[in-house]
Every structure is written in structure tokens, then in C-alpha cells.
């Protein structure tokens, strides 16, 4: 900054007014850098515990046409990067190229042509830049098409290979962690810091400090397919496929402290790919496009969070609105059993779940205290949650029209704040109308059950100055008709 001020001072001798001199200074290019990689490959080979011999190839990762460029001028900088193609090949399986791709950048069912896998851009402006406008930092990320193949047998082999290769290092970390004393003191220090931060947030409520930077982020993921399959004897069996389309997210933060985050999703479905599924009930879970009444632009999910900044008059510090399209699901016991078996047979899930459970068992009490400390901050968040309903089908068989249907209508949940004396009261209400259970047999429908429900709950907080923040949960009231 000191050098920049000196340089701007030296511009006084140039012709033109102050704005013209600043424009000339801002256009000076300091750095213009570009790096490109045509192709790169890496291979994971399992040489066993002994680490000798040629070994067995497991995975091969490759990337093509990666580039990164940086342009720095006197008062702004731009960094751009692009990866055109990347894939991970499964070399452990022996069932042909159809099942040989674990990661790729083309999704045939998306209807999109060839495009770059990922693009990213970062732009930064100095406070004196004439191009600064209302944004100081701008970021963008775009992912084109991404295919992920999940072969748990190959992943288990790769995990075992990596674990054996790093065994000595991991053992050293475990021994050092076990011998360290004072872990409890560190945990207590973390809890104390969170409590202090919560008290600071409470004191600063209504007096948010002015932000020095305005940030803007835009992200998009056009198409993602995740295929689950398993090797059975001399063949490969499809289990399920997850298809995601059109995810977008934006984040804008102003210099006055306002934060606005919005995300949308165009479509999402889970397909039953087992041979017994047939065409009638192959959509295990599907979000129906266009069924939302709020936001989303015809998509299946929409979410918006706003944190109000300095100078904004609002009854709450923030607001959160979530809208979800109608969910159509098929409860086929056969498909559920296939997915459960797919997980249970995998050494990847068994070993990782066992390790995770051991780690979490020792930290449960610490996490409870940490959550309790953080929740002492009375952040008023206006909620508006809405789903367009649920239709759950329980078919008699894969090819049969006979089924039992559970129809759940639109569900809404919202809250409201009020102050009663020295207490702030938050009231939460949820309403569910006309849940019906229907049987469809031989083309005829018959209503088996129908009910409606309302739920009301309240939470109180102490507002007296100098008193500790105190929460009292009023008992929830549920009425069913």
C-alpha cells in the first residue's frame, strides 16, 4: 500500500485530470502469467505388504488440457483456471470398458455436448480502482458434467493399498496422539472460546460492524450422475443411479454486512437399475419439477438465506426460506434390500463406519457442551419451510398396477417472534392437512384412512440486561383430526 500511494503521487506530473491519471495507472499491467498442461497421468499399483515386484494396477487417473492464467494490474488482479477433461479408470475389474470408468466428465443422459469439466475465476479490486464498483472480490465456479462410478470392490482394494503404504506413518500419529496429555484441557479451552464468542455476538446484536469487503460468488453444476454397481461372479450388476441436474448457488456480501445466499436445483432422482425393477417403478425417488409454489423457477428445490446488514430495519437478524417440490417415491422391499446388501458387503463402508463410530463415541459429550455453548447466542431467524407434498407407493409387484399409496399434501412450517416483558418468545407452527392412505386394486381406488395435524411450539429467552441468556422450551401442542 505504501508503494502504491507513492506511485499514485508520482502521477501528478502526468497530463490530464485526476480521474484520467488514475485510469492510466490502473491499466498498467504488472504480471501476465499463463501455465498449461497438455496431459498428465498417475497410476495406483498394489505391491502388497512387502512392497516388491511389479504389483497389480488398481487405478489410473488422467487429466487433459489444464490451464491457469493470472493477470495483475496496478489496482486489480484476475486468476482463471480450466480443466477440460479428467477421468479415473478402474484397472482392477475385468468386465470391459463399460464398467472401467470411475470418474469422467461426460454424462450421456444429460443431453449436453462435450464441454470443459470445470472452470473457475477469481477477481480482486483495490479500494482505489476505478473499476471496483460495489464488489471487492468476485469468484465463480462452473462444473459441466461429472460421472461417478461406485464399484465398492475396487474402492476397497484401493483403500487397503493406501492404508498399507501409509501404515508406519499412521501408527506414528496414533502413538503420538495417545501419549499426548492435556487433551481434556484443550477441549475445555475450545468450549470457553465458544462461550466467549457467543457472549460477544449477543453484545453486538443490533450493532453489526461495517464490512470492509464486498464479496460475490456464483457457482453452477450442470449434470452429475452417480452409478452404483457391484461385481457378482463373472458379471457386473447395476444397483442404482442418482441423477442431479442444474444446481446453482449465489452468495453476495455487501460492505454493510448484508449476506444473501440463494441456491436452486433443477431436477433430482434416484433410479432403480436392478433387472427386476422394470419400467413401471424404476424411479425409486423423484422430485416433480414445477410443483413448487415459491422460488426455484420451475425446479425442484430452492433455498434462500439473508442476514440483514447495518442500517436495515427488520424484526429479525436473518431469514431462511426453503421450498421443496413434490416427492414421489416407491417403497419396493426388494430394492431397499438390494441397497442395504450393497452397503453391507462393502469393506469400505464397514471399516470406515467402524472407525467413525469409535471417534464419535469419545467426542459425544464434548460436542453436546459445544452446541449448548454456541446456542446461548440469541440469533433471531425467521423461518419459512414449505414442501409440495409426498406420494409414497407400495406396489404389489414390479409389474403390477395394484398398490397402496400414502398421499401427503403440502406441509408448511413458520415461526414468529414477540417480546413479552423481559422475555422474547419464538412461536413455531406447522400444519399438515388431509394425509390419506389409498388402495389401488384392479383400477379402483378406495380410501383407507385420512387425517390432519397441527403442531405449535414456543421457546422463551431472557432479555434482562446483565442476565445470562436463558432458554425455556414450552411444551409442544399437537392436534390430530
Amino acid at each position: 500500500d505504501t508503494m502504491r500511494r507513492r506511485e499514485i503521487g508520482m502521477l501528478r506530473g502526468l497530463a490530464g485530470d485526476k480521474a484520467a491519471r488514475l485510469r492510466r495507472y490502473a491499466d498498467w499491467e504488472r504480471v501476465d502469467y499463463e501455465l498449461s498442461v497438455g496431459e498428465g497421468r498417475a497410476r495406483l499399483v498394489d505391491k502388497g505388504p512387502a512392497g516388491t515386484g511389479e504389483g497389480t494396477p488398481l487405478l489410473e487417473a488422467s487429466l487433459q488440457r489444464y490451464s491457469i492464467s493470472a493477470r495483475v494490474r496496478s489496482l486489480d488482479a484476475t486468476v482463471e483456471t480450466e480443466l477440460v477433461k479428467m477421468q479415473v479408470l478402474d484397472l482392477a475389474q475385468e468386465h470391459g470398458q463399460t464398467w472401467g470408468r470411475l470418474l469422467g466428465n461426460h454424462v450421456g443422459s444429460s443431453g449436453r455436448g462435450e464441454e470443459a469439466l470445470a472452470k473457475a475465476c477469481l477477481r480482486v479490486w483495490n479500494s482505489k480502482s476505478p473499476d471496483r464498483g460495489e464488489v471487492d472480490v468476485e469468484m465463480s465456479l462452473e462444473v459441466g458434467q461429472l460421472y461417478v462410478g461406485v464399484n465398492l470392490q475396487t474402492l476397497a482394494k484401493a483403500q487397503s493399498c493406501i492404508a498399507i503404504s501409509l501404515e508406519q506413518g499412521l501408527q506414528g500419529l496414533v502413538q503420538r496422539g495417545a501419549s499426548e496429555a492435556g487433551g481434556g484441557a484443550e477441549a475445555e479451552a475450545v468450549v470457553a472460546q465458544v462461550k466467549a464468542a457467543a457472549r460477544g455476538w449477543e453484545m453486538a446484536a443490533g450493532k453489526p460492524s461495517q464490512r470492509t469487503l464486498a464479496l460475490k460468488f456464483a457457482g453452477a453444476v450442470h449434470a452429475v450422475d452417480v452409478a452404483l454397481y457391484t461385481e457378482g461372479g463373472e458379471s457386473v450388476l447395476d444397483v442404482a443411479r442418482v441423477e442431479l441436474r442444474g444446481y446453482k448457488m449465489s452468495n453476495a456480501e455487501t460492505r454493510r454486512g448484508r449476506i444473501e445466499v440463494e441456491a436452486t436445483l433443477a431436477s433430482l432422482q434416484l433410479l432403480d437399475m436392478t433387472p427386476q425393477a422394470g419400467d413401471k417403478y424404476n424411479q425409486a425417488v423423484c422430485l416433480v419439477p414445477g410443483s413448487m409454489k415459491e422460488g426455484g423457477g420451475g425446479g425442484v428445490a430452492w433455498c434462500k438465506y439473508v442476514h440483514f446488514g447495518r442500517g436495515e430495519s427488520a424484526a429479525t437478524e436473518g431469514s431462511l426460506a426453503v421450498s421443496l417440490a413434490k416427492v414421489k417415491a416407491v417403497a419396493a422391499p426388494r430394492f431397499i434390500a438390494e441397497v442395504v446388501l450393497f452397503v453391507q458387503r462393502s469393506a469400505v463402508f464397514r471399516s470406515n463406519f467402524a472407525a467413525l463410530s469409535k471417534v464419535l463415541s469419545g467426542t459425544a459429550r464434548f460436542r453436546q457442551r459445544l452446541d449448548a455453548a454456541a446456542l446461548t447466542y440469541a440469533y433471531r431467524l425467521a423461518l419459512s419451510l414449505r414442501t409440495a407434498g409426498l406420494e409414497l407407493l407400495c406396489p404389489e409387484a414390479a409389474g403390477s398396477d395394484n398398490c397402496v399409496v400414502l398421499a401427503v399434501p403440502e406441509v408448511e412450517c413458520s415461526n414468529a417472534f414477540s417480546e413479552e416483558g423481559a422475555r422474547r418468545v419464538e412461536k413455531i407452527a406447522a400444519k399438515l392437512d388431509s394425509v390419506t392412505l389409498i388402495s389401488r386394486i384392479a383400477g379402483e381406488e378406495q380410501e383407507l384412512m385420512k387425517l390432519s395435524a397441527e403442531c405449535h411450539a414456543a421457546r422463551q429467552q431472557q432479555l434482562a440486561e446483565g442476565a445470562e441468556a436463558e432458554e425455556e422450551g414450552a411444551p409442544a401442542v399437537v392436534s390430530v383430526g
Side-chain angles (χ1 to χ4, degrees), residues 334-388:
R334 173 200 48 78
F335 176 65
I336 297 174
E338 289 277 5
V339 175
V340 172
L341 184 62
F342 173 81
V343 174
Q344 288 179 343
R345 287 189 302 187
S346 168
V348 174
F349 284 99
R350 289 199 304 269
S351 59
N352 291 336
F353 282 170
L356 185 62
S357 63
K358 289 183 179 179
V359 172
L360 295 180
S361 62
T363 60
R365 181 174 175 272
F366 170 69
R367 286 186 290 108
Q368 290 176 356
R369 296 186 59 209
L370 194 62
D371 293 342
L375 289 176
T376 57
Y377 171 47
Y379 186 81
R380 294 175 298 172
L381 181 67
L383 296 176
S384 175
L385 311 179
R386 176 180 295 178
T387 175

Side-chain angles (χ1 to χ4, degrees), residues 396-458:
E396 182 182 39
S400 174
D401 291 328
N402 299 336
C403 62
V404 175
V405 181
L406 176 64
V408 180
E410 180 178 309
V411 180
E412 295 184 4
C413 179
S414 60
N415 68 340
F417 291 90
S418 63
E419 294 187 5
E420 300 176 1
R423 291 181 178 273
R424 177 186 295 131
V425 180
E426 178 187 9
K427 296 181 180 180
I428 305 172
K431 188 175 182 181
L432 184 64
D433 290 329
S434 303
V435 178
T436 57
L437 187 64
I438 304 170
S439 65
R440 295 176 182 172
I441 301 177
E444 296 184 1
E445 289 190 0
Q446 182 177 359
E447 187 177 290
L448 304 178
M449 183 184 66
K450 185 176 183 179
L451 61 87
S452 62
E454 285 190 37
C455 178
H456 298 273

Side-chain angles (χ1 to χ4, degrees), residues 67-317:
S67 62
I68 181 172
S69 62
R71 182 187 180 192
V72 180
R73 302 193 301 177
S74 297
L75 298 176
D76 63 79
T78 303
V79 179
E80 296 179 317
T81 183
E82 180 183 45
L83 177 60
V84 175
K85 185 176 182 179
M86 179 178 180
Q87 65 177 0
V88 177
L89 300 179
D90 183 356
L91 305 181
Q93 59 87 29
E94 301 176 352
H95 302 285
Q97 296 182 355
T98 304
W99 313 103
R101 190 174 58 147
L102 295 180
L103 185 67
N105 66 309
H106 180 63
V107 177
S109 61
S110 66
R112 302 176 64 90
E114 294 288 341
E115 58 185 332
L117 174 60
K119 298 178 182 179
C121 179
L122 170 64
R123 299 196 66 185
V124 181
W125 290 271
N126 184 269
S127 59
K128 293 182 172 55
S129 172
D131 303 321
R132 180 188 182 196
E134 296 297 326
V135 179
D136 301 307
V137 180
E138 183 176 0
M139 297 173 286
S140 65
L141 173 64
E142 180 181 3
V143 177
Q145 305 170 55
L146 181 63
Y147 170 84
V148 180
V150 182
N151 185 335
L152 295 181
Q153 285 83 350
T154 298
L155 294 180
K157 294 176 184 178
Q159 177 179 270
S160 177
C161 174
I162 296 174
I164 292 175
S165 302
L166 302 177
E167 183 176 5
Q168 293 181 352
L170 293 175
Q171 287 180 350
L173 289 175
V174 172
Q175 293 174 358
R176 186 176 63 183
S179 61
E180 286 181 349
E186 293 180 0
E188 293 294 336
V190 172
V191 173
Q193 291 175 4
V194 172
K195 287 183 177 180
R199 285 194 295 268
W201 296 335
E202 187 71 31
M203 293 176 62
K207 305 176 183 178
S209 59
Q210 183 177 2
R211 297 186 64 87
T212 56
L213 291 178
L215 309 178
K216 184 178 180 180
F217 172 79
V221 179
H222 297 301
V224 176
D225 273 13
V226 180
L228 309 181
Y229 52 87
T230 182
E231 297 184 44
E234 298 181 355
S235 62
V236 178
L237 302 177
D238 265 321
V239 178
R241 181 186 295 267
V242 180
E243 296 183 352
L244 180 148
R245 301 288 184 269
Y247 173 75
K248 295 181 180 180
M249 176 186 173
S250 63
N251 177 29
E253 303 184 21
T254 68
R255 300 184 186 111
R256 300 181 67 86
R258 178 184 175 89
I259 302 174
E260 186 171 321
V261 182
E262 186 172 5
T264 60
L265 182 62
S267 68
L268 177 66
Q269 63 179 350
L270 171 65
L271 301 178
D272 181 356
M273 304 298 294
T274 57
Q276 300 84 0
D279 297 330
K280 190 178 295 293
Y281 302 112
N282 63 332
Q283 283 188 325
V285 180
C286 175
L287 297 177
V288 181
S291 59
M292 291 192 306
K293 294 185 178 180
E294 180 182 4
V300 298
W302 171 79
C303 176
K304 185 175 182 179
Y305 167 74
V306 177
H307 174 78
F308 301 107
R310 183 168 57 89
E312 294 187 77
S313 58
T316 59
E317 280 87 12

Side-chain angles (χ1 to χ4, degrees), residues 26-37:
D27 291 339
W28 286 354
E29 292 194 7
R30 304 301 182 95
V31 177
D32 194 352
Y33 173 81
E34 183 175 355
L35 171 68
S36 60
V37 178

